[in-house]
Amino acid sequence: PPPPQHQQRLESDADAVRITTLHRAKGLEFGVVLAPFLWTSAGVEWSCARYHDADGTLVLDAGCRDGPPADGARRFKANRDRAHVEALAEECRLTYVAVTRAQHRGVLWWAPTKANRPLAGLTETLLRFAQDDQVGALPDAQLRDERLAEVARRGAPHLAFSRVTGADGSATVPTSRGQAATPLRRGPVPSAVPRDWIRASYSRLKALHEPADVEIGERLVVDEPDPRAQTDADAPPPPPAPERGGGLDREVLLSGVAGGATFGTVVHAVLEHVDFSADDLRDRIAAELARWSARHLLTLDDPGRVVDALVAAVHTPLGLPGGPLTRTGSTALRLADVAPADRLDEVAFELGVAGGSASRPGSAVSVAAIADVVATHLPAGDPLEAWPQRLGAELGGVAWRGYLAGFIDLVVRSGDGYLVIDHKTNTLGPPGQPLQYGHYTPSRLADAMVEEHYPLQALGYLVALHRQLRLRLGAAYEPDRHLAGVAYLFLRGMGGPDTPITADGVCGVFTWRPPTALVVALDELLDRGAR
């Protein structure tokens, strides 16, 4: 059969409409720019004059008069005029920024409001452009239209202006070639907007079962919520006491270090930009932690302890000796064993669901169908055996078509296998009490995975990796050999080579290798949609 056609997908899950200031828009480019307020201005403080002198020094003249009153008044008026000229020049520069941000189309609004005229950059730009001299008083409506028509003529065919003439939004666009004016009317608004066609992510799928969120758009569901932002009503039940024995009652390195979304973001950025195999690993982590903490305005009481914890996490074995994550002989794989050539960070993916952009109504994929596929293929005794039933009960009513998108924290190549890794900074112990390794045993991590529906996220990652390897390796791709599963690294529970080990695995590390048939079946379900 011919190879499948791979369509270019959207590059971002950002909102379709972005509202920003002109200062923040400098250096950026947008497909369509709407600038409705360029005809206004913030004005200046006329009780003082803020300007630059001939040497470029910033001067603030508050109107103090140290000489004859007449001389002081004249000096202050001259300085205030200089301040006005500088402010108007800045308004014109901002107008230039606005009109040069558009890649395909820019729409500007202008109104003859005298109160905002003295510093309206668009007024100065348009009318001065038309008459080639400094604008004084605003001309009357007829002369204004003539001058704006002159602007359109000079800029034809790229410039045109329309004059709103009615409350219903009707307008007339004068042409620059002497043709008859073309009336414009608002287009019809569709009676129904398809709400199941979305660009979904794991977080959005979790949020869509709440009807209020669907009405106002996507509400971000923080992957690692800040416990301080939770109320008593929505706080999860307190975890049981930690397991004892074998060092499980020891405190973890990050015990007492506050968490939250910002802390998680900084830790993810540090791990993304650090070479795990570097000899000076600690120095590099310290430098990256300082850089990203400053960028995200995160203040750490003891950054050295965070550095120690991340160094320990990098040197924590990810599996039992002799297990599926064994590197060589009987040595378990660690992040420290992963060379830069064997890792991909922040792997972006965007999968077509039920036909992607060609999907049709009625083809949406439901989370209930995903739960059924997982329950069918998951073997008895799997640590997540009970999860599909809970997934169907809590999120089964969610259905969508369009795309599934996200970012994989890390993909590691070990031998012939490719392992998906996700970093977590969740605090799993009870609030206000010391965190112990017993809070992060593999069995406790399985409970946390089910509680947050992380397996749904993991399966999306594996389907994305499955499609990528199938595309890149071609006929040599063998899912049973190349898909090594997922490892969710709960960094707070990883303490280096001395991390406690239970019969189920290493504390802080949850590994899961679902059957290959499950990944393939989910890939087919997402691809075809409902039938």
Side-chain angles (χ1 to χ4, degrees), residues 121-143:
L122 182 60
T123 303
E124 178 74 10
T125 301
L126 288 178
L127 298 184
R128 184 176 181 180
F129 179 50
Q131 67 181 120
D132 295 323
D133 59 11
Q134 184 72 26
V135 175
L138 286 174
D140 58 32
Q142 180 178 354
L143 183 57

Side-chain angles (χ1 to χ4, degrees), residues 88-447:
L88 182 58
E90 176 63 16
E91 290 284 332
C92 290
R93 281 191 291 269
L94 291 177
T95 300
Y96 170 81
V97 170
V99 300
T100 56
R101 297 310 94 197
Q103 183 179 10
H104 303 296
R105 183 177 180 85
V107 181
L108 314 177
W109 280 260
W110 180 81
T113 304
K114 293 183 178 180
N116 290 321
R117 163 66 192 91
L119 288 177
L122 182 60
T123 303
E124 178 74 10
T125 301
L126 288 178
L127 298 184
R128 184 176 181 180
F129 179 50
Q131 67 181 120
D132 295 323
D133 59 11
Q134 184 72 26
V135 175
L138 286 174
D140 58 32
Q142 180 178 354
L143 183 57
R144 258 194 332 265
D145 283 356
E146 291 176 358
R147 290 179 176 174
L148 292 176
E150 173 68 9
V151 172
R153 186 192 68 77
R154 293 191 184 189
H158 304 293
L159 293 180
F161 84 93
S162 61
R163 190 172 188 272
V164 177
T165 58
D168 62 347
S170 59
T172 300
V173 179
T175 66
S176 58
R177 300 177 181 177
Q179 301 172 351
T182 303
L184 297 180
R185 298 285 179 178
R186 279 198 290 253
V189 177
S191 58
V193 177
R195 295 190 176 276
D196 63 343
W197 199 104
I198 60 175
R199 187 176 185 270
S201 63
Y202 154 76
S203 297
R204 186 168 189 182
L205 291 179
K206 282 187 62 181
L208 282 178
H209 73 288
E210 302 177 20
D213 295 329
V214 180
E215 293 298 326
I216 63 175
E218 179 175 355
R219 175 175 64 86
L220 295 180
V221 178
V222 179
D223 205 16
E224 297 156 24
D226 188 344
R228 297 168 296 182
Q230 296 178 334
T231 65
D232 294 337
D234 60 14
E243 299 180 19
R244 301 288 178 177
L248 297 178
D249 55 353
R250 288 191 288 122
E251 283 193 39
V252 301
L253 293 173
L254 288 178
S255 179
V257 176
T262 303
F263 178 73
T265 298
V266 169
V267 168
H268 278 70
V270 171
L271 295 177
E272 176 188 351
H273 293 87
V274 165
D275 177 4
F276 301 140
S277 61
D279 294 333
D280 56 344
L281 177 64
R282 193 183 195 287
D283 293 339
R284 296 195 182 196
I285 288 180
E288 291 296 334
L289 180 63
R291 177 164 75 102
W292 291 102
S293 295
R295 177 170 297 187
H296 291 278
L297 304 179
L298 175 67
T299 301
L300 295 170
D301 294 334
D302 189 355
R305 186 147 61 107
V306 178
V307 172
D308 291 339
L310 294 181
V311 171
V314 171
H315 289 89
T316 300
L318 304 186
L320 299 176
L325 295 182
T326 298
R327 180 169 58 99
T328 57
S330 60
T331 303
L333 179 70
R334 309 168 303 167
L335 291 180
D337 303 318
V338 179
D342 292 323
R343 59 183 280 194
L344 290 175
D345 296 88
E346 289 296 311
V347 181
F349 65 88
E350 190 168 66
L351 313 178
V353 175
S357 58
S359 63
R360 298 178 179 179
S363 63
V365 174
S366 68
V367 176
I370 294 177
D372 290 341
V373 170
V374 176
T376 300
H377 290 87
L378 212 58
D382 189 279
L384 301 178
E385 183 180 5
W387 170 66
Q389 182 177 1
R390 179 167 182 169
L391 176 66
E394 296 184 359
L395 303 180
V398 174
W400 89 104
R401 56 192 175 96
Y403 298 96
L404 176 65
F407 292 86
I408 304 174
D409 285 349
L410 182 63
V411 175
V412 166
R413 178 176 58 190
S414 180
D416 292 334
Y418 294 83
L419 177 69
V420 169
I421 292 180
D422 195 85
H423 307 301
K424 300 295 183 188
T425 57
N426 304 50
T427 300
L428 300 184
Q433 297 185 22
L435 276 180
Q436 301 176 2
Y437 286 103
H439 291 120
Y440 290 88
T441 61
S443 60
R444 297 292 175 81
L445 299 185
D447 294 338

Side-chain angles (χ1 to χ4, degrees), residues 7 58 85 104 253 368 475 493 510 521:
Q7 184 176 353
L58 182 63
V85 171
H104 303 296
L253 293 173
F510 182 84

Side-chain angles (χ1 to χ4, degrees), residues 500-525:
I501 298 177
T502 69
D504 299 324
V506 183
C507 288
V509 179
F510 182 84
T511 58
W512 185 44
R513 189 173 187 179
T516 302
L518 169 56
V519 178
V520 173
L522 281 179
D523 173 45
E524 294 174 352
L525 172 65

